[in-house]
Amino acid sequence: MATRVRSFAKINLGLAVGPVRVDGFHGLTTMYQTVGLHDFVTVTAREATETRIVLTADHGGVPRSETGDAEKNTAFVMVNGALERMGIRAEVSLHIEKRLPVQGGLGAGSANAVAALVGLERELGRALPGAERLKLGSEVGSDVPLFLVGGTVLGLGRGEEVYPLPDLPVTHCVVAVPKVGVSTKLAFEALDKRQALTFAQGNDRLRELSRVLAAVWSMDGAESGLSGVNRRTVDLAENPLLALVRTGIENDFEEVAFSQHPSLRSTKRELVGSDPGAAIFACLSGSGSALFGLYASQTDARAAQQRVLEAGTQAILTETLPRPAYWDTMFAE
Ligand code: C5P
């Protein structure tokens, strides 16, 4: 029996990058949000005398057994690490059906790693304790642990320190997928050169976004932590997302990405559009190159998708995925 798992993408609602730390990584503050777009990861596993992991994919850009570099694939590393922690040897096959862009800033590779782990656990009928999973995830990549939480997630540290936030309401989303890919490592290096922040300035940037997030989620202490104050005075479209946008959330990577790839700035403009029907918020995701827009209605989202498509860039319609839906719809069949 094989287990087919949906490997959902994430977007970043605000991303502040701080100074380089002693371990060479950058401190950051971000709010991750999972969305409905996904790859599929199919796992088969059975205990054996030796561990053997075979990784196949339907996309040329994915490190896999056929190309001799499967060990570089985060899904492979995650499964190998999980087996070691469980003290189990197994024959495992992993098949990745790529629907999400590689190097897109949507966390696709990291999500694949979590989907592979979830599939492995189901196949073997064994599960790592939650804290172990998070530790393993953070060793595999900074963006991996968020996918062990899902929904709306606060990311601190190098992005691997994750805290579940009250879910934002389901929101229409358009993800634009430009043809260029962006290396996360190079994006951080380019940002360093550009910002040349002192350690103190870098830390101020992190605190700034932390204050914005805290301010929005503490507007009242009502059930689920959502903004009851706003809800009483305005309609339901007034949600924490609007409050966040008004208070000010940005992605520090935009200046680097837009100067290296000017066409991304135009794509953002197409996502934003103009009133009536303008995006609630549009932004680069992670270090790019994908951008996203969030909309009050499906009509607005469809119109934005059309604008981006007409300008020659792939654009996909989706919705934000709250935590319960993330876990409830993870198994494909
Ligand atoms: O953790 P992950 O493997 O995704 O990181 C890829 C690269 O991005 C790292 O090797 C590092 O150069 C850079 N990075 C960083 N600061 C972070 C996350 C990643 O400098 N917070």
Side-chain angles (χ1 to χ4, degrees):
M1 251 286 282
T3 304
R4 193 159 178 245
V5 186
R6 289 193 180 87
S7 169
F8 294 107
K10 60 85 179 162
I11 54 176
N12 295 78
L13 298 169
L15 173 51
V17 180
V20 188
R21 314 184 317 184
V22 283
D23 62 2
F25 284 85
H26 293 71
L28 56 85
T29 300
T30 188
M31 193 167 86
Y32 301 110
Q33 173 65 56
T34 48
V35 297
L37 299 183
H38 59 84
D39 290 337
F40 285 107
V41 179
T42 303
V43 186
T44 58
R46 61 180 175 82
E47 291 196 39
T49 48
E50 287 305 322
T51 287
R52 185 159 164 267
I53 303 168
V54 177
L55 198 159
T56 55
D58 66 355
H59 183 285
V62 177
R64 57 198 188 279
S65 301
E66 192 193 0
T67 47
D69 55 357
E71 301 74 26
K72 283 197 201 143
N73 193 304
T74 49
F76 182 104
V77 181
M78 191 81 165
V79 163
N80 203 34
L83 289 173
E84 276 172 14
R85 280 177 153 79
M86 289 174 185
I88 291 179
R89 293 189 188 135
E91 294 231 349
V92 182
S93 79
L94 301 170
H95 180 65
I96 300 176
E97 293 167 71
K98 266 284 151 217
R99 302 288 176 271
L100 303 169
V102 178
Q103 294 198 321
L106 298 171
S110 304
N112 289 171
V114 169
L117 173 71
V118 167
L120 179 79
E121 288 181 339
R122 174 161 289 198
E123 285 283 297
L124 294 176
R126 293 274 296 266
L128 280 179
E132 280 277 301
R133 291 168 117 207
L134 286 161
K135 186 153 187 294
L136 172 62
S138 69
E139 287 165 16
V140 174
S142 309
D143 271 359
V144 174
L146 86 98
F147 292 108
L148 290 164
V149 179
T152 308
V153 183
L154 174 66
L156 301 177
R158 59 182 168 87
E160 94 294 8
E161 196 184 315
V162 287
Y163 300 90
L165 288 170
D167 274 316
L168 289 173
V170 176
T171 306
H172 301 283
C173 178
V174 174
V175 175
V177 187
K179 288 189 184 75
V180 289
V182 172
S183 145
T184 305
K185 187 170 160 42
L186 296 184
F188 273 106
E189 284 169 11
L191 190 61
D192 281 342
K193 282 204 194 99
R194 205 177 172 86
Q195 284 189 326
L197 291 177
T198 64
F199 195 75
Q201 286 169 330
N203 273 323
D204 277 350
R205 290 200 64 80
L206 301 187
R207 286 193 203 104
E208 224 171 89
L209 183 55
S210 297
R211 278 195 289 266
V212 166
L213 299 182
V216 167
W217 262 276
S218 59
M219 274 176 184
D220 76 1
E223 137 256 1
S224 82
L226 298 183
S227 170
V229 172
N230 279 346
R231 233 184 284 153
R232 273 196 296 277
T233 50
V234 287
D235 65 58
L236 261 179
E238 180 71 17
N239 66 36
L241 178 60
L242 289 182
L244 278 171
V245 173
R246 232 178 262 132
T247 319
I249 48 172
E250 289 175 12
N251 180 341
D252 282 355
F253 280 114
E254 277 197 346
E255 53 175 296
V256 173
F258 291 177
S259 79
Q260 288 179 348
H261 308 287
S263 65
L264 300 186
R265 193 187 294 280
S266 321
T267 305
K268 178 169 171 176
R269 255 184 240 123
E270 288 139 18
L271 284 169
V272 171
S274 53
D275 276 327
I280 301 169
F281 182 63
C283 194
L284 188 76
S285 185
S287 55
S289 62
L291 298 113
F292 66 88
L294 298 171
Y295 303 89
S297 72
Q298 196 174 45
T299 310
D300 294 349
R302 279 194 193 287
Q305 179 191 29
Q306 210 48 41
R307 288 193 296 273
V308 177
L309 286 173
E310 275 164 17
T313 300
Q314 192 194 349
I316 314 164
L317 206 57
T318 185
E319 283 184 347
T320 60
L321 194 63
R323 196 164 306 114
Y326 176 80
W327 290 106
D328 289 350
T329 60
M330 186 168 271
F331 291 105
E333 59 243 5

